[in-house]
Amino acid sequence: MLSTSMSDLLDMKMMLLLQSEKVMYISKILSCAVIITLLSIIFDKDKTSNFFVWASLTAFSTLQFSRQSKVNFNQIIGNVIGSIIGIVIWVFMTHVSAHHLYYINLEYWFLILGIFVTTLLCIMLNHSEYCGIALSSFLIVTIYDVAHHTIEGALSRIFFCIIGCLIAYLVDFISRQIEQKWLFYKSQD
């Protein structure tokens, strides 16, 4: 009888923990959305820089659901690596496009080259955990700038992604501080 009630108590505690983890994750996502929206309203009133898109995508993919997994800066490193390689490949593509009639077909070969170089660099740095983020950044920077024929989009995207990562880190840090204080006060009761 005692073991059953102890087991029920543990099950109930685990259920509450899981529920609080879900609530915490939702609150972190919403906090990031509110902060990024406010910054977008202040700095991107015309919605021309796509700050909201790049910062929110980065922030949302940076936040971790599990309490045990803290936000780390692999997102920033992956974004910077992918974006820099994207800029370099973009420069090659624009240079070749001025001299070649079959530019659209060469674009795909440059994209494959960029995918290879990005993957190789992440593996050589022994950080395959941010290879997917780096590849996404590479493709977003390269494809965005090929369509718009401007390098400013790539440079601003790097900056916006770093801001998104920092916002996610700040929100995660503050939520952990609040949770620790709550647990401390709860243990005092």
Side-chain angles (χ1 to χ4, degrees):
M1 177 96 182
L2 182 61
S3 64
T4 304
S5 64
M6 192 64 125
S7 173
D8 290 342
L9 196 64
L10 286 174
D11 287 344
M12 195 164 71
K13 196 167 194 155
M14 286 300 291
M15 190 172 80
L16 287 173
L17 182 66
L18 185 58
Q19 291 294 337
S20 67
E21 202 166 63
K22 289 177 182 177
V23 169
M24 184 64 75
Y25 185 66
I26 291 169
S27 65
K28 289 192 292 188
I29 292 287
L30 290 176
S31 297
C32 284
V34 167
I35 292 168
I36 292 168
T37 299
L38 291 174
L39 290 174
S40 295
I41 290 169
I42 294 168
F43 297 111
D44 191 24
K45 292 177 185 174
D46 300 332
K47 299 176 191 143
T48 56
S49 71
N50 293 320
F51 171 78
F52 182 82
V53 172
W54 303 134
S56 60
L57 283 174
T58 307
F60 298 154
S61 64
T62 301
L63 288 173
Q64 302 294 316
F65 176 76
S66 173
R67 271 195 184 108
Q68 284 73 34
S69 301
K70 290 184 178 181
V71 168
N72 57 38
F73 285 96
N74 289 346
Q75 300 287 338
I76 295 175
I77 295 168
N79 276 302
V80 170
I81 287 172
S83 298
I84 290 172
I85 293 172
I87 291 169
V88 170
I89 294 296
W90 180 83
V91 168
F92 286 139
M93 286 192 309
T94 55
H95 179 69
V96 170
S97 70
H99 305 297
H100 201 278
L101 297 174
Y102 302 107
Y103 171 67
I104 190 73
N105 294 328
L106 284 176
E107 179 182 305
Y108 291 115
W109 292 109
F110 277 113
L111 290 174
I112 291 171
L113 175 65
I115 290 168
F116 173 73
V117 170
T118 302
T119 304
L120 184 65
L121 185 60
C122 289
I123 291 173
M124 286 174 50
L125 293 173
N126 292 326
H127 289 290
S128 59
E129 67 270 9
Y130 54 73
C131 188
I133 299 298
L135 287 169
S136 298
S137 297
F138 163 75
L139 289 172
I140 290 169
V141 166
T142 306
I143 292 170
Y144 174 85
D145 290 322
V146 166
H148 293 88
H149 302 290
T150 175
I151 198 72
E152 289 86 16
L155 297 175
S156 63
R157 187 195 170 281
I158 295 170
F159 181 67
F160 297 160
C161 288
I162 290 171
I163 290 173
C165 287
L166 292 175
I167 289 169
Y169 180 77
L170 180 67
V171 165
D172 186 67
F173 178 78
I174 291 170
S175 68
R176 287 180 185 280
Q177 296 299 314
I178 291 170
E179 183 180 34
Q180 286 177 353
K181 286 181 182 179
W182 183 78
L183 289 174
F184 175 76
Y185 291 129
K186 189 82 166 156
S187 69
Q188 299 298 317
D189 290 339

